[in-house]
Amino acid sequence: MVGIGGAAESTDMVLNIGPQHPSTHGVLRLKLVLDGERIQHAEPVIGYMHRGAEKLFEARDYRQIVMLANRHDWLSAFSNELGVVLAVERMLGMEVPERAVWMRTLLAELNRVLNHLMFLGSYPLELGGITPIFYAFTEREELQHVMEEISGGRMHYMFNRVGGLKEDLPAGWTTRARDTVTALRSRMGVYDDLVLGNEIFRGRTRGVGALAPEAVHAYGVSGPIARASGVDFDLRRDEPYLAYGELQDTLKVVTRQEGDCLARFECLLGQTHNALDLADACLDRLADLPPGPINQRLPKVLKAPEGHTYAWTENPLGINGYYLVSKGEKTPYRLKLRSASFNNIQALVELLPGTLVADMVAILGSLFFVVGDIDK
């Protein structure tokens, strides 16, 4: 009920943020109940982008579902593909060539940097700081060139295949990739100085939207948002896949205890620095590997044996999981997607009540979500 005139002070007001709003990263709607400038109740309303990917999986064969899988989080396309092919390979009991394992690890980390750069630029923008996004897009463009050269795609790479990767590396690609990683690292100080060193940014984010570890566990929050609340969990370290088991000396899991907007940004920035270090380590190992195959030869009709499996990966935004059920056909009987943003955004129910409307955008932006990853 909306109060009018003298009764407004004692009457709740219902306010809709979105579904079309600059701070919602897409068509997300927030239904807020306000008491003056303070939020009493918050309800995320989702589903405006829902395309039924899980149902579409059931009508596509194991080669075709890769195309559907890489689109729900459009900033993490390579990582999305990875979960599907890992699940199918596990069902088949398939061993992937070593070069493909290291290449997948490298590309997953480069994709992580691309994802994080978007939020490192867009989050300050939502708080009124325009400059960082120009730097972020400059860096993203250089990295996009590297990814585009190897895969042919700028956002939806379609480079993973069951059994490995689409094709081998172009001549000289590793040198160009290393040069790009080195250049990116040399300019990452911009975010330390320009953003974290900005007193207005710190004033808008420190102590705002603190998420308790208990809420992280209750809602299944994962990724940098969970680690910013002191939940020290990262699949790359705790349940290694690909080549992460051999990269434990380089892998650093960035955590904070405060759980506020500033801590979430610091975790994201720290994870970006570490992803560049992991990319360098992968390039070093690829340089030492002898020439060899990049994929396995597959039958013309690929069928997974009857059974079920669950493959989860540490995506840039958190845990991404695929539960695959097969009846021995060339299409999945069921393929359930557990996306990071879907769980993370539920924490808004806990975070927003009691805060000011002015802090709502700061809290919303600090959850680093993609609406397609919520709606699937």
Side-chain angles (χ1 to χ4, degrees):
M1 176 179 173
V2 179
I4 299 174
E9 293 180 6
S10 60
T11 312
D12 293 339
M13 180 174 77
V14 177
L15 178 68
N16 283 291
I17 305 293
Q20 300 287 354
H21 190 277
S23 74
T24 57
H25 302 195
V27 278
L28 172 71
R29 175 183 164 214
L30 287 180
K31 185 180 176 184
L32 308 179
V33 178
L34 306 180
D35 180 9
E37 283 291 305
R38 203 163 289 279
I39 298 169
Q40 288 188 318
H41 177 74
E43 179 190 353
V45 183
I46 67 172
Y48 293 93
M49 287 185 66
H50 182 60
R51 60 193 179 90
E54 293 173 333
K55 207 66 190 165
L56 291 171
F57 286 148
E58 298 171 17
R60 306 291 190 280
D61 68 34
Y62 289 107
R63 293 179 174 91
Q64 294 169 325
I65 57 177
V66 174
M67 180 274 294
L68 289 170
N70 81 11
R71 279 163 166 74
H72 58 88
D73 174 1
W74 47 78
L75 295 177
S76 314
F78 186 86
S79 303
N80 299 342
E81 301 170 11
L82 199 52
V84 168
V85 295
L86 288 175
V88 180
E89 286 161 6
R90 188 175 298 171
M91 291 283 281
L92 292 166
M94 181 179 287
E95 197 73 31
V96 176
E98 189 178 12
R99 277 172 57 79
V101 170
W102 282 96
M103 268 307 303
R104 281 177 172 178
T105 311
L106 168 62
L107 292 171
E109 291 306 313
L110 293 179
N111 194 194
R112 193 180 309 277
V113 175
L114 271 173
N115 175 292
H116 291 353
L117 281 171
M118 174 63 81
F119 292 108
L120 291 173
S122 69
Y123 185 47
L125 178 67
E126 288 162 4
L127 299 179
I130 293 176
T131 309
I133 200 161
F134 294 117
Y135 285 102
F137 266 82
T138 301
E139 314 301 350
R140 273 178 57 84
E141 195 63 31
E142 289 196 21
L143 199 46
Q144 288 281 27
H145 288 321
V146 170
M147 299 293 278
E148 186 177 9
E149 181 186 358
I150 194 172
S151 69
R154 285 179 60 82
M155 282 186 72
H156 303 303
Y157 305 111
M158 284 298 295
F159 199 57
N160 275 294
R161 296 291 185 272
V162 176
L165 295 169
K166 176 185 171 188
E167 57 199 10
D168 211 338
L169 313 180
W173 182 86
T174 51
T175 303
R176 291 187 286 279
R178 191 184 294 277
D179 291 344
T180 301
V181 169
T182 303
L184 273 174
R185 184 184 288 105
S186 70
R187 296 194 291 267
M188 284 300 293
V190 165
Y191 305 99
D192 294 306
D193 304 332
L194 189 65
V195 183
L196 284 181
N198 185 295
E199 61 183 64
I200 299 173
F201 179 83
R202 298 184 78 87
R204 289 291 309 275
T205 55
R206 186 193 279 122
V208 175
L211 183 65
E214 295 78 19
V216 168
H217 294 303
Y219 287 96
V221 174
S222 60
I225 301 167
R227 292 191 282 274
S229 295
V231 179
D232 189 5
F233 180 71
D234 190 312
L235 283 173
R236 297 172 298 169
R237 180 199 62 198
D238 301 323
E239 196 174 307
Y241 57 98
L242 295 182
Y244 289 115
E246 299 180 48
L247 291 169
Q248 296 301 304
D249 293 338
T250 308
L251 177 63
K252 300 288 184 291
V253 180
V254 183
T255 60
R256 294 288 185 275
Q257 299 301 318
E258 297 83 1
D260 57 10
C261 294
L262 181 60
R264 290 191 277 274
F265 187 85
E266 287 175 342
C267 279
L268 199 76
L269 181 57
Q271 197 166 282
T272 310
H273 282 290
N274 187 238
L276 291 169
D277 295 339
L278 287 167
D280 262 342
C282 290
L283 286 164
D284 290 341
R285 184 58 190 270
L286 280 167
D288 295 336
L289 286 178
I294 202 80
N295 51 34
Q296 297 276 24
R297 290 184 64 86
L298 298 176
K300 193 169 184 180
V301 177
L302 181 64
K303 295 183 178 181
E306 193 167 336
H308 60 93
T309 191
Y310 181 66
W312 57 349
T313 55
E314 188 68 43
N315 262 35
L317 298 182
I319 293 173
N320 191 78
Y322 291 98
Y323 179 59
L324 171 63
V325 181
S326 172
K327 289 290 185 73
E329 302 296 330
K330 65 178 183 178
T331 61
Y333 176 72
R334 189 79 176 89
L335 186 55
K336 175 75 175 75
L337 166 60
R338 186 259 191 236
S339 63
S341 298
F342 181 80
N343 284 69
N344 291 355
I345 206 68
Q346 295 178 83
L348 285 170
V349 176
E350 294 269 344
L351 282 175
L352 290 180
T355 63
L356 296 170
V357 174
D359 290 330
M360 183 273 300
V361 174
I363 295 169
L364 190 62
S366 73
L367 291 186
F368 312 128
F369 60 90
V370 172
V371 174
D373 203 39
I374 301 169
D375 285 352
K376 300 180 279 185

